[in-house]
Amino acid sequence: MQHTRDLKGVVQVDGEDYEWEVRRQPQRTTGNNWDGIGIALKLVDAQREAIVMFPMVMRANGTPNFERQRINLESVKNAIASAIAAGWAPTSRGKVVVFDVDADGN
């Protein structure tokens, strides 16, 4: 597993290069709920973006982990494949599409 603390980078999925960038750090929502990290995805030299929302990372005692998150590049690759399977067309035009994924990017 490859991890990074970078806030953006490029990964390759099925022979295509995709740019990824952290768009939102984990934050509290209404009640006692938490939103995890949000990562924007875009095919290099294309304009349509997708944002994948990962779940909040929790510690063993059930409290949220507020440390700067390490990005698992395999999860980003899985999230790209999942977004494409769910109907995201990175070469098309249109609004940003938001997808919720699990911790592994599926």
Side-chain angles (χ1 to χ4, degrees):
M1 259 193 268
Q2 210 175 12
H3 288 85
T4 182
R5 288 198 185 267
D6 295 339
L7 296 178
K8 60 183 172 179
V10 176
V11 294
Q12 192 172 52
V13 176
D14 295 332
E16 300 282 342
D17 289 333
Y18 290 86
E19 297 173 347
W20 63 269
E21 179 182 4
V22 174
R23 279 291 168 86
R24 197 196 72 223
Q25 293 291 335
Q27 63 186 359
R28 182 181 215 139
T29 60
T30 57
N32 198 18
N33 297 326
W34 295 88
D35 280 341
I37 198 165
I39 296 179
L41 307 171
K42 186 177 87 160
L43 181 65
V44 172
D45 297 329
Q47 57 186 12
R48 188 156 190 207
E49 284 188 340
I51 296 179
V52 291
M53 307 296 290
F54 287 89
M56 182 67 181
V57 177
M58 299 295 218
R59 293 184 177 168
N61 64 0
T63 60
N65 185 1
F66 291 111
E67 296 174 8
R68 183 170 171 192
Q69 302 298 308
R70 295 185 316 168
I71 306 299
N72 182 341
L73 297 180
E74 289 300 318
S75 294
V76 173
K77 290 178 183 180
N78 290 342
I80 291 169
S82 295
I84 291 171
W88 175 52
T91 56
S92 67
R93 295 176 41 179
K95 293 181 179 181
V96 175
V97 184
V98 179
F99 296 99
D100 290 324
V101 295
D102 63 9
D104 294 327
N106 298 317

